[in-house]
Amino acid sequence: MAEKRLLTLPSKGAGRESLFSIGAGDAPDGPIVPPAEVAVTQKGTLQKMGRRFKLWASRYYEIQGQNMYYYKTAHSKHKCLGYVDLKVCYHVEVSDASTFGYAFEVHTIHRVHIFAARTAEDRDLWMKCISDLMGGKAVYVKLKKYYN
């Protein structure tokens, strides 16, 4: 069995690889492949804010099980770019981060993911889907200023 290490906090100026430590058996070996037997509960194109340079990029997303997989486009589903682990999500809320869309934040224990949908209805649908997956564990927040 692989040795498990405690979660480590990054030091000042630390690179991406030091954000957290995992056991050797937990790291994926090769490309990310979403499970074929798990149904897609939500899919569509969202804008996402990058972690490092804070630039917006359009990505195609699918929620399968408790993961939110993303691809460059809907036609490039053969190559998954990454995923958001919704099992460690603890908070979902509307955000004012986007100037061109309807933004929302997904807070996980690893980071805050910021997404933007084209319409308020799409944003609310994504937020509800993510919140429902948490089984009441996540906090689903709508800010009043967006609905007045």
Side-chain angles (χ1 to χ4, degrees):
M1 182 161 226
E3 177 188 331
K4 299 286 183 180
R5 294 184 297 266
L6 295 175
L7 205 60
T8 58
L9 297 175
S11 58
K12 188 171 182 180
R16 180 177 175 184
E17 63 279 354
S18 68
L19 287 177
F20 59 92
S21 297
I22 55 176
D26 297 333
D29 297 328
I32 300 166
V33 181
E37 68 278 358
V38 179
V40 174
T41 56
Q42 177 70 17
K43 61 184 175 180
T45 301
L46 294 171
Q47 301 290 321
K48 82 174 195 75
M49 183 181 281
R51 175 193 295 206
R52 190 173 202 176
F53 297 111
K54 307 297 183 207
L55 298 174
W56 289 95
S58 180
R59 297 287 182 259
Y60 177 77
Y61 286 87
E62 287 185 347
I63 295 180
Q64 284 183 280
Q66 289 190 314
N67 290 318
M68 189 171 166
Y69 297 96
Y70 60 96
Y71 310 86
K72 189 154 183 114
T73 67
H75 303 292
S76 64
K77 286 185 54 179
H78 61 280
K79 185 173 185 210
C80 181
L81 298 176
Y83 67 95
V84 178
D85 185 358
L86 299 176
K87 291 185 292 289
V88 295
C89 173
Y90 64 89
H91 188 70
V92 181
E93 71 177 342
V94 171
S95 173
D96 59 357
S98 178
T99 57
F100 59 87
Y102 296 86
F104 64 98
E105 298 176 1
V106 177
H107 297 248
T108 69
I109 61 171
H110 302 296
R111 69 177 273 204
V112 176
H113 300 271
I114 303 174
F115 303 103
R118 290 191 177 136
T119 66
E121 293 80 22
D122 283 348
R123 177 199 55 209
D124 293 345
L125 189 63
W126 279 97
M127 289 177 65
K128 180 164 179 7
C129 184
I130 293 168
S131 181
D132 288 349
L133 283 173
M134 300 307 104
K137 187 174 71 174
V139 178
Y140 173 45
V141 178
K142 284 186 180 181
L143 298 179
K144 278 188 168 183
K145 68 179 180 178
Y146 291 98
Y147 297 96
N148 290 335

